[in-house]
Amino acid sequence: MKPFDRVLIVDWSGGNDRGPRPKADAIWAAFNDTPAEYFRHRQAFEIWLMTVLEAEINAGHRVFLGFDFPFGLPEGMAKPITGQDDPFAFWNWVTERVEDTPTLTTRFDVGAQAR
């Protein structure tokens, strides 16, 4: 048995809506056997990803997902911001504060609050 039936790689460089014409600084995704697909913004990609993964799961496929964005935090970063050592407390803190739509994101404002 192969460990994975499909490999999906995502280049996550996207910010707010990048417009209809593909741009390098955007979100791109490709399975190992298909051309890369351009996504104008995070919400469009999220809908596509959930649809694709549901179809793959329903087909009984195992999918390896590769993303090029970091999830790690420097050791000790969560505590000054959340009062807890748990890095997941930091991600919960961020989730509760960030507003993210195709044309607006408050992630930089929230980042400034964390200083």
Side-chain angles (χ1 to χ4, degrees):
M1 179 171 118
K2 295 188 310 186
F4 299 99
D5 300 297
R6 306 267 279 161
V7 175
L8 175 63
I9 302 298
V10 180
D11 175 15
W12 192 282
S13 302
N16 291 337
D17 194 325
R18 310 309 276 171
R21 189 169 358 143
K23 307 210 177 10
D25 185 20
I27 301 170
W28 293 83
F31 279 106
N32 52 330
D33 57 352
T34 62
E37 188 167 342
Y38 164 74
F39 297 90
R40 292 176 62 158
H41 50 76
R42 292 177 295 278
Q43 291 76 18
F45 173 74
E46 188 175 320
I47 292 167
W48 177 86
L49 179 63
M50 298 311 293
T51 302
V52 165
L53 290 179
E54 185 176 339
E56 294 294 329
I57 290 167
N58 288 339
H61 295 157
R62 294 182 54 183
V63 180
F64 176 87
L65 300 173
F67 290 84
D68 75 341
F69 50 75
F71 282 119
L73 299 172
E75 186 175 350
M77 181 179 166
K79 188 162 188 166
I81 296 168
T82 68
Q84 300 176 47
D85 284 324
D86 183 1
F88 291 109
F90 173 78
W91 291 117
N92 291 335
W93 183 89
V94 169
T95 300
E96 291 166 1
R97 288 163 177 78
V98 171
E99 180 182 350
D100 195 31
T101 70
T103 58
L104 168 76
T105 183
T106 60
R107 69 185 187 273
F108 297 113
D109 299 324
V110 171
Q113 292 173 18
R115 292 184 183 175

